[in-house]
Amino acid sequence: MNRYIKLPGLILVLLSMISQPIFAQQDTTALTPAFSDTVRGIKILQAPEEIAIPFAVVTKAALNNAVSAVNAAQLPKLPLSNLSGLLAGRLSGLWVNWTGNQPGGGNLTYQIRGKSSYAGGATPIVLVDGIVRDFEDMDINEIESVSVLKDAGTLNWYGLSGGNGAIYVTTKHGKANQRLVTVDAQGGFQTTDNLIRPLNSYQYASLYNQALTNVGQAPAYDSAALYAYKNHTDLMLYPDNNYLDEFMSKSAPTQRYALSFSGGSNRIRYFTTLSYFNQQGLFKHTETDNFNSNYGYKRFNFRINLDYEVNESLTVTLLSGLRSEIRNDVGDGTTAVLNNIYNLPPNAFPIVNSDGTYGGTSLYQNNPMGQLQSTGYARTTTNVLLASVMAKQKLNFITKGLSANLLFSYDGYGNYGDGLTQNYAVINKTVSPAQSYRTPAAIAYRTAAFQTNTKNNEVWMGFDYDRNFSGDHKVTASVRVQQYVSAAVDRLDYKERMLAGRVDYGYKGRYMLGFTGSYNGSENYAPGHRFGFFPALTAGWLASDERFLKNSKVINYLKIRGSGGRSGNIGPTYDASGNVVRLPYRTLFTRGAGPLLGSSFSTSTTAYLVTPAGNPLTTWEKIDRINIGTDVSFLHNALSISADYFHETRHDILGTPNLPGILGMSIAQVNSGKVNSKGAEFSGTYNRQWGKFSIAVNGNITYAKNTVLVRTLSNGLEGQSQEGRYVNSGHYYIAEGIFQSQAEIDASPKQTLSGLVVPGDIKYKDVNNDNVIDAKDDIATDYTDIPKMFYGFGFAIRYAQFDLSTQFQGVEGRTINLNGVFHAGPNGLNQLLLDSWTPATAATAKYPRIGLTDNGNNTANSTYWLRSGDFLKMRTLEIGYSTPEGFNKRFRFKGARFFLGGYNLLTFSSLNKLGIDPETPNAGRFTSFPYVKTYSVGINVII
């Protein structure tokens, strides 16, 4: 690991650079200790009272909306490729769900207050400094805060884009007269976990024979072959390969380095950061004389934010970020390599023949060693430019508190691909004469070319107004016009226009009313149907400022707030094949061969209708939202609690139309669905300090029930309607155990899911009582992989220079279908199926009989394969030591912190005994990257 992490030398260099005592701020609820901005040493400060919302920063007392927020100072600095993974369990209402583990991949999805639509396009938007952008690949040093917007009062600012909630990210700015230099370095490794347990050749051959004898067929492997596999008497004729051990490392290094500068004067302020991240892949045998094909991800981030006070009335701000990402992959692709590692039979062939050639057969022509060493590599470089220019001109000469504002953004994304190609031959030496397969090819350059090029432009301009009248009346207002264009060479442009406004009134700082609205349109809809109006009202009462609570010794702060309105959401339209339909209101024609309906048109003029036909009535989803909440503090503000109740009804959800087949064509989806969502969320913090000891505790929990009210169904069979069921719930056969005898089969309803039904097969419930088990018994259920409840909690403890912090995330009420996982592996055989049914194990078998063919009865989606997807995970853990004040003064710098950290270190789940991760059950199986845990060591120095 020293090859990648050279911390001792780095520490000496950093200490030699120390020059000035500068402090960084720290938040009370921070789980990663930093440094105070006073000279009294390290301590926990009070939580900030300002929260970022669209194009504004408001105090907590003035906020009437449902917003949860976290400062970047509260997030640990870990060498992870997905920054947003650090948010898991930290913000009420936000569910961060891991979907994969590949370095530099899109491994996360988000949901805010559950999933309130069964259609596509149900994910929240992500905004960076008010502009729709990704932030997963940003460096944490760039981030100031993250807010989750959850109610109509904030979301309606974004019109058709805010229907599913929003994650609002702000980047850092410099502070006047606070020069600061920060150096971060972390290094560590990621270790694999929950990999599929490979069968050895003896186990595989025994299970294969068992699958054949279960249906009365002769075994494929005789006793001599089984003996040879078990005792390794001839590994060329009877190979026994463990592809996981041979080609997959148990760990891979990861590292991150960052350098930041900030400061300035009252007139010019700056913040800039430069970071480097490197995460290596897990494959072995990838280094050759000409290349290294291992999957790897490198990223360089650079950001500079400038604030310039041109004069007393004009401020100009530049926000710019550059990112370069390099992904290296095997020539055949990681997916293909993992497919072989997980799914090749262990006795398929000797990996390398006695003469050094690659082994293979006519059936198995892909050799993992050949893939890793002799197919070259593919490299993709992604370059990203994110730039925004903002200007604010005060117009006090017109009226006090008025200002004009302009924001222009330009984002560019481009991919460039290059690499080397090669091919190899495999030789089967077990036959005479030896047989060769595949065509070898010498190493050569891949075609180097730009692959994609996307440019996004967004303009916001308008006015702000902020004024107090007579000390009792406060009015703030904003109005903006917006235009957005996204252009790429391989598609039509996406365009959007909007007028957004917000006005808030406060009386004596206690009574508040507000309005937010937008008039938004999209070219995705037919002319005359493109624009809609999305209003919302908000109200708040700061009860703790009333006389009857002003001097309360119990309640220090009490705010009651509410909001309601109608939001919109652009749901993507799909055709019958699941392809996204662009401009779904249009019907397109194309030329085809042959006459049309027997006409005499020539083939050069014949045209036919391309389905789906257009639907000019396609429109957006409409969401009616209500949110009622309260914020309260006790014990001299040491304990703070927030609670919200929400209720939403979503109309006009896009779905498949139920049309008669006599039409001869399909049309684009129609707005026909309706979903109801309701629930509650709670969050709280507790902060106390006693001398050198301090503690900060946080927790949050969200309950969301999302129920389908209306949804069209093409076949209309009884019991199969999703109406009244949870969103994303599945259809399953109801399993009633395992048949133990032919007599039991004869006495049960006829099962038609496969041609063969024998003892050891799953028995299903005859739902419709027609004495036949068929597709009509596959019924709608409430089993869904969307959790009904998700929560998080954590704490930070400090004593003198030592600190310990952790954060957990958990979900409840989630069910996952493990049908595929139980049948993963070569020919669907794996270690789990060693406990499958046989006549000898009928009383103790955990799973039905195995079969290689005609086994549809046991592989059908049924409740037999459902398992609880609930889990509790320790997402982060850090142990740190901060240098004492005397040491800092001696070396003329503000402080340093050394720490050990980890991510995804512990999982509490009923699936642990099966070696399956409940969050990403496919990890380490099929073609998926393994589940990984991250361990790191780091240093943070502030100069």
Side-chain angles (χ1 to χ4, degrees):
M1 197 168 71
N2 290 335
R3 175 182 175 186
Y4 300 94
I5 306 166
K6 301 179 179 179
L7 286 179
L10 176 62
I11 294 169
L12 293 176
V13 172
L14 296 178
L15 292 177
S16 67
M17 294 171 56
I18 295 168
S19 60
Q20 297 187 53
I22 308 292
F23 287 89
Q25 280 192 311
Q26 172 64 11
D27 184 271
T28 302
T29 57
L31 298 187
T32 305
F35 305 101
S36 170
D37 61 353
T38 72
V39 295
R40 291 172 294 188
I42 301 169
K43 68 174 187 177
I44 296 180
L45 303 181
Q46 290 298 316
E49 289 295 319
E50 295 184 335
I51 297 174
I53 63 173
F55 295 96
V57 176
V58 298
T59 63
K60 180 180 178 181
L63 186 69
N64 299 328
N65 308 106
V67 179
S68 52
V70 64
N71 280 348
Q74 298 172 248
L75 304 177
K77 295 181 179 180
L78 290 168
L80 301 177
S81 62
N82 293 94
L83 173 62
S84 50
L86 297 175
L87 300 178
R90 294 182 182 270
L91 294 162
S92 63
L94 177 67
W95 179 37
V96 178
N97 181 40
W98 282 89
T99 58
N101 299 278
Q102 192 161 321
N107 296 323
L108 291 163
T109 60
Y110 317 96
Q111 287 177 3
I112 294 177
R113 292 178 167 177
K115 186 176 181 181
S116 56
S117 176
Y118 55 77
T123 57
I125 59 169
V126 178
L127 303 131
V128 178
D129 293 323
I131 305 299
V132 177
R133 293 166 171 159
D134 246 341
F135 85 107
E136 289 184 5
D137 295 320
M138 297 175 67
D139 186 79
I140 191 168
N141 270 13
E142 302 178 59
I143 306 299
E144 177 68 28
S145 68
V146 180
S147 301
V148 178
L149 315 181
K150 297 174 282 190
D151 71 333
T154 50
L155 296 173
N156 282 18
W157 178 272
Y158 288 103
L160 291 168
S161 301
N164 301 311
I167 300 172
Y168 194 89
V169 180
T170 61
T171 57
K172 289 182 178 178
H173 292 250
K175 297 179 180 179
N177 304 314
Q178 291 188 18
R179 288 180 297 166
L180 187 68
V181 179
T182 304
V183 181
D184 290 305
Q186 294 97 43
F189 53 91
Q190 293 190 319
T191 63
T192 60
D193 197 11
N194 293 324
L195 287 161
I196 192 170
R197 294 176 292 170
L199 296 165
N200 59 42
S201 289
Y202 175 76
Q203 292 171 323
Y204 173 78
S206 298
L207 281 178
Y208 200 95
N209 281 350
Q210 179 181 321
L212 293 174
T213 56
N214 279 343
V215 294
Q217 298 183 28
Y221 299 96
D222 58 21
S223 58
L226 292 175
Y227 179 86
Y229 285 134
K230 188 173 185 178
N231 296 283
H232 295 168
T233 57
D234 188 342
L235 289 178
M236 293 303 295
L237 289 176
Y238 301 98
D240 186 11
N241 300 316
N242 187 324
Y243 304 106
L244 275 174
D245 283 353
E246 183 66 31
F247 298 108
M248 188 80 73
S249 297
K250 301 295 184 183
S251 64
T254 180
Q255 54 190 320
R256 171 188 172 267
Y257 305 99
L259 176 65
S260 301
F261 303 87
S262 66
S265 63
N266 291 330
R267 188 167 186 181
I268 300 177
R269 298 173 297 279
Y270 64 88
F271 171 82
T272 185
T273 183
L274 175 66
S275 65
Y276 169 73
F277 175 83
N278 187 343
Q279 184 174 339
Q280 296 298 308
L282 292 165
F283 293 135
K284 297 179 181 178
H285 305 299
T286 59
E287 295 190 32
T288 70
D289 293 338
N290 298 306
F291 56 82
N292 186 341
S293 66
N294 201 358
Y295 191 96
Y297 175 70
K298 297 179 182 179
R299 187 182 68 221
F300 300 87
N301 293 72
F302 175 74
R303 172 167 291 277
I304 180 167
N305 288 352
L306 299 174
D307 297 281
Y308 178 38
E309 305 284 349
V310 179
N311 52 47
E312 292 183 356
S313 63
L314 177 61
T315 302
V316 177
T317 299
L318 170 66
L319 307 174
S320 60
L322 294 172
R323 185 169 73 243
S324 183
E325 304 172 51
I326 302 172
R327 291 174 173 83
N328 196 79
D329 201 357
V330 182
D332 261 10
T334 293
T335 297
V337 175
L338 291 176
N339 180 61
N340 280 329
I341 290 176
Y342 298 145
N343 299 309
L344 274 176
N347 62 348
F349 47 72
I351 297 172
V352 178
N353 295 316
S354 56
D355 60 358
T357 57
Y358 298 124
T361 67
S362 60
L363 182 60
Y364 301 111
Q365 298 184 16
N366 293 315
N367 184 304
M369 186 75 80
Q371 289 179 303
L372 293 170
Q373 294 187 339
S374 300
T375 61
Y377 73 95
R379 178 171 56 198
T380 301
T381 302
T382 302
N383 293 319
V384 180
L385 166 65
L386 307 173
S388 299
V389 177
M390 297 186 292
K392 178 179 180 180
Q393 174 66 59
K394 295 180 181 178
L395 300 176
N396 290 331
F397 63 90
I398 298 177
T399 184
K400 186 178 179 180
L402 182 66
S403 63
N405 294 271
L406 170 69
L407 183 151
F408 174 80
S409 71
Y410 175 90
D411 297 351
Y413 305 82
N415 289 339
Y416 181 82
D418 67 335
L420 298 173
T421 64
Q422 194 177 2
N423 208 345
Y424 63 96
V426 295
I427 300 175
N428 184 356
K429 295 269 187 177
T430 64
V431 297
S432 184
Q435 299 293 315
S436 178
Y437 307 97
R438 299 175 62 107
T439 303
I443 192 169
Y445 287 106
R446 287 182 182 270
T447 300
F450 289 100
Q451 299 170 342
T452 61
N453 190 357
T454 303
K455 299 177 182 179
N456 298 337
N457 297 100
E458 194 162 353
V459 178
W460 292 80
M461 62 176 64
F463 298 92
D464 287 343
Y465 184 67
D466 188 344
R467 189 169 179 179
N468 283 294
F469 296 90
S470 304
D472 289 338
H473 307 274
K474 180 177 177 61
V475 177
T476 59
S478 298
V479 62
R480 297 283 196 283
V481 293
Q482 175 249 20
Q483 178 167 293
Y484 169 79
V485 178
S486 177
V489 296
D490 57 346
R491 59 167 170 79
L492 295 173
D493 293 353
Y494 288 90
K495 299 179 180 180
E496 181 181 310
R497 290 179 180 174
M498 181 166 58
L499 171 66
R502 177 174 56 226
V503 59
D504 291 285
Y505 167 74
Y507 177 65
K508 292 187 176 182
R510 298 198 296 269
Y511 313 106
M512 288 151 273
L513 290 174
F515 171 82
T516 302
S518 59
Y519 184 67
N520 190 198
S522 171
E523 90 290 352
N524 207 48
Y525 306 114
H529 300 275
R530 288 179 170 170
F531 286 85
F533 179 55
F534 308 100
L537 293 174
T538 65
W541 176 34
L542 190 57
S544 54
D545 275 6
E546 299 288 356
R547 288 183 180 180
F548 59 87
L549 283 177
K550 191 77 172 180
N551 299 314
S552 172
K553 296 181 180 180
V554 177
I555 299 177
N556 309 117
Y557 177 87
L558 175 60
K559 173 74 178 285
I560 299 173
R561 48 186 169 74
S563 65
R566 166 163 286 196
S567 305
N569 179 59
I570 297 180
T573 307
Y574 300 89
D575 62 18
S577 301
N579 302 310
V580 175
V581 177
R582 187 77 170 93
L583 305 178
Y585 66 90
R586 301 181 63 188
T587 299
L588 303 179
F589 294 84
T590 186
R591 296 186 184 278
L596 175 67
L597 298 178
S599 72
S600 59
F601 293 159
S602 68
T603 57
S604 63
T605 59
T606 297
Y608 63 88
L609 182 65
V610 176
T611 59
N615 176 11
L617 300 180
T618 301
T619 187
W620 50 83
E621 297 174 347
K622 303 170 183 65
I623 309 120
D624 295 324
R625 287 189 159 110
I626 294 176
N627 189 96
I628 300 173
T630 184
D631 308 302
V632 59
S633 296
F634 306 93
L635 305 176
H636 303 288
N637 293 311
L639 175 63
S640 297
I641 297 174
S642 294
D644 285 86
Y645 168 80
F646 57 89
H647 187 280
E648 303 177 3
T649 302
R650 186 176 297 235
H651 311 263
D652 290 337
I653 300 173
L654 286 167
T656 304
N658 193 358
L659 298 174
I662 195 173
L663 290 179
M665 67 176 70
S666 63
I667 68 169
Q669 291 178 310
V670 296
N671 299 97
S672 57
K674 186 177 181 180
V675 168
N676 176 259
S677 303
K678 57 185 177 182
E681 58 188 33
F682 301 88
S683 63
T685 60
Y686 178 76
N687 302 280
R688 284 297 301 271
Q689 183 169 347
W690 300 270
K692 294 182 179 181
F693 178 83
S694 61
I695 183 171
V697 180
N698 74 83
N700 66 84
I701 185 169
T702 301
Y703 170 80
K705 182 178 180 181
N706 304 291
T707 307
V708 177
L709 300 181
V710 178
R711 184 175 185 180
T712 57
L713 188 66
S714 57
N715 56 29
L717 295 178
E718 184 179 358
Q720 296 186 339
S721 172
Q722 291 294 127
E723 295 180 357
R725 301 295 185 181
Y726 290 125
V727 170
N728 232 49
S729 58
H731 284 229
Y732 299 99
Y733 294 95
I734 307 302
E736 296 186 319
I738 295 177
F739 286 120
Q740 299 297 328
S741 66
Q742 187 62 45
E744 186 180 0
I745 296 174
D746 295 338
S748 300
K750 182 180 180 181
Q751 307 215 166
T752 64
L753 305 186
S754 62
L756 179 69
V757 179
V758 296
D761 284 356
I762 300 174
K763 177 182 180 180
Y764 297 113
K765 181 179 180 180
D766 183 13
V767 175
N768 62 351
N769 297 315
D770 63 355
N771 212 37
V772 176
I773 305 298
D774 56 16
K776 297 177 182 178
D777 298 295
D778 178 21
I779 64 168
T781 68
D782 276 332
Y783 298 118
T784 174
D785 61 351
I786 306 297
K788 300 177 182 66
M789 184 170 65
F790 47 94
Y791 58 94
F793 61 88
F795 63 85
I797 299 174
R798 263 186 242 176
Y799 180 76
Q801 272 63 57
F802 296 92
D803 61 83
L804 169 67
S805 60
T806 186
Q807 188 73 26
F808 289 82
Q809 182 197 21
V811 303
E812 294 286 338
R814 177 171 173 263
T815 303
I816 54 178
N817 182 5
L818 296 183
N819 189 352
V821 173
F822 277 103
H823 295 95
N827 290 304
L829 304 178
N830 57 56
Q831 288 276 0
L832 294 172
L833 298 184
L834 293 173
D835 292 324
S836 61
W837 190 97
T838 66
T841 64
T844 59
K846 297 179 180 179
Y847 309 113
R849 70 166 180 89
I850 56 177
L852 301 177
T853 59
D854 201 8
N855 199 33
N857 188 83
N858 294 335
T859 58
N861 281 330
S862 73
T863 57
Y864 195 93
W865 304 113
L866 298 182
R867 298 293 187 275
S868 170
D870 299 346
F871 64 82
L872 173 64
K873 290 192 175 187
M874 177 188 281
R875 287 299 191 187
T876 61
L877 176 68
E878 278 195 356
I879 302 172
Y881 172 81
S882 301
T883 53
E885 186 176 351
F887 180 88
N888 302 341
K889 290 181 177 180
R890 178 182 176 185
F891 288 94
R892 300 175 58 201
F893 76 117
K894 190 44 62 182
R897 179 172 177 266
F898 305 86
F899 54 93
L900 300 173
Y903 194 83
N904 278 349
L905 300 186
L906 292 175
T907 299
F908 302 93
S909 165
S910 61
L911 298 179
N912 284 354
K913 58 188 177 183
L914 298 179
I916 297 172
D917 177 57
E919 191 173 21
T920 55
N922 289 344
R925 293 164 174 80
F926 305 108
T927 59
S928 298
F929 210 77
Y931 182 80
V932 293
K933 301 178 179 180
T934 302
Y935 301 85
S936 68
V937 58
I939 180 174
N940 171 243
V941 178
I942 298 182
I943 302 172

